[in-house]
Amino acid sequence: MADYTPTSHKAINQVHRLKDRARYDAESIHAILDRNIIAHVGFTLPPGAAEEDDWPFVMPMCYGRIDDTVYIHGYVSGRMMKALASDTRPKVCITVTEVSGLVVAMAPFHNSMNYQCAVVFGRGRLVDAPDEKDQALTAITNQPFRHADRWNDSRLPNKTEMVSTKVIAVQIERASAKFRTGGVSDDLKDMENPELVNKYFSGIVPMKTVFGTPEPSEYNAAPVPAYLHPDAMNAEKHK
């Protein structure tokens, strides 16, 4: 499995602050990508695409991962799809973050969050091959459902839908993960001050995403699939 450890302190994926929280192994990075459902995709428009094409864009997107490649999709003439499908293989940065708790300190500069975050870098590539496009759309479709096979438990896309949809592949070239776990880190002098510890709360507020009971549509006549039940959706699953 790939190792993305930087070879230079100037490398784009080098974590500079709190380096002990960084990880560069593919297993840690893939695990964060696989557990979550929204990625923020950063890119810039090619020259001439807009009046001011030097503004960076960061857009939330559904995604899916196969091996070392992250896939995203969108309408064929969408701004992002047009930009990332360019023959110039534009650079892309994809970030996925999972927050598991608020860290509440007595002093605001010591407030924090417990989190896991993956940042991956690569270049956009238009997916032309029908087999790869099918595989990518399957991965994107199944990602929010804990990787259950929703794609094949659906009315599959018709020709018009497929033609009007672009898929972009971003092979991970560089990446890093960063983690924060544990408790509060107030200043020692504050922790030893009885007035402060009796006046200002400090501690952790846990956070988690919980899926509820499915609510059928007005026209639905099908039973709820087992993989959509809360016990399945809320289980800790990995690919």
Side-chain angles (χ1 to χ4, degrees):
M1 194 170 282
D3 181 7
Y4 301 104
T5 301
T7 56
S8 164
H9 74 281
K10 292 185 178 181
I12 191 66
N13 64 321
Q14 173 70 57
V15 174
H16 290 277
R17 284 278 297 147
L18 303 171
K19 296 180 181 180
D20 59 310
R21 298 181 182 177
R23 298 183 191 175
Y24 300 99
D25 61 290
E27 184 177 3
S28 296
I29 293 160
H30 291 174
I32 295 171
L33 295 176
D34 293 345
R35 276 198 309 273
N36 292 281
I37 61 176
I38 295 295
H40 287 86
V41 181
F43 65 102
T44 56
L45 295 176
E51 289 182 2
E52 299 176 89
D53 53 33
D54 57 344
W55 285 93
F57 280 80
V58 179
M59 299 182 67
M61 299 289 291
C62 299
Y63 67 96
R65 179 187 71 84
I66 300 176
D67 298 327
D68 66 346
T69 300
V70 178
Y71 292 95
I72 57 177
H73 76 311
Y75 189 63
V76 65
S77 62
R79 178 181 284 169
M80 175 187 285
M81 294 297 106
K82 290 171 68 175
L84 299 187
S86 168
D87 292 337
T88 61
R89 297 292 305 278
K91 294 179 179 179
V92 186
C93 176
I94 299 174
T95 302
V96 174
T97 305
E98 178 180 358
V99 178
S100 59
L102 302 180
V103 180
V104 186
M106 292 186 292
F109 277 13
H110 291 297
N111 288 343
S112 188
M113 295 182 186
N114 284 336
Y115 65 89
Q116 299 182 26
C117 179
V119 181
V120 305
F121 301 87
R123 294 176 181 271
R125 171 178 63 84
L126 177 64
V127 176
D128 286 320
D131 286 347
E132 184 183 7
K133 188 173 183 179
D134 283 345
Q135 292 170 4
L137 289 170
T138 299
I140 294 168
T141 299
N142 294 344
Q143 176 88 17
F145 304 104
R146 299 301 201 205
H147 307 284
D149 193 9
R150 181 60 185 171
W151 176 263
N152 286 304
D153 191 28
S154 305
R155 189 272 291 163
L156 294 179
N158 57 42
K159 183 177 180 180
T160 300
E161 291 169 334
M162 291 295 283
V163 169
S164 65
T165 301
K166 278 182 179 175
V167 173
I168 301 296
V170 180
Q171 185 175 13
I172 302 172
E173 298 179 18
R174 305 178 191 182
S176 63
K178 194 173 182 182
F179 297 73
R180 201 278 187 196
T181 60
V184 188
S185 298
D186 270 306
D187 291 340
L188 180 60
K189 64 179 181 179
D190 288 342
M191 292 188 288
E192 295 177 344
N193 185 325
E195 181 182 356
L196 294 181
V197 298
N198 282 283
K199 185 175 182 180
Y200 302 114
F201 173 83
S202 61
I204 303 294
V205 181
M207 293 176 58
K208 63 186 299 185
T209 297
V210 177
F211 294 94
T213 301
E215 301 175 359
S217 68
E218 293 180 358
Y219 55 84
N220 176 75
V224 177
Y227 59 83
L228 292 183
H229 283 274
D231 57 347
M233 291 292 292
N234 293 315
E236 290 292 330
K237 286 189 176 182
H238 305 282
K239 291 180 71 174

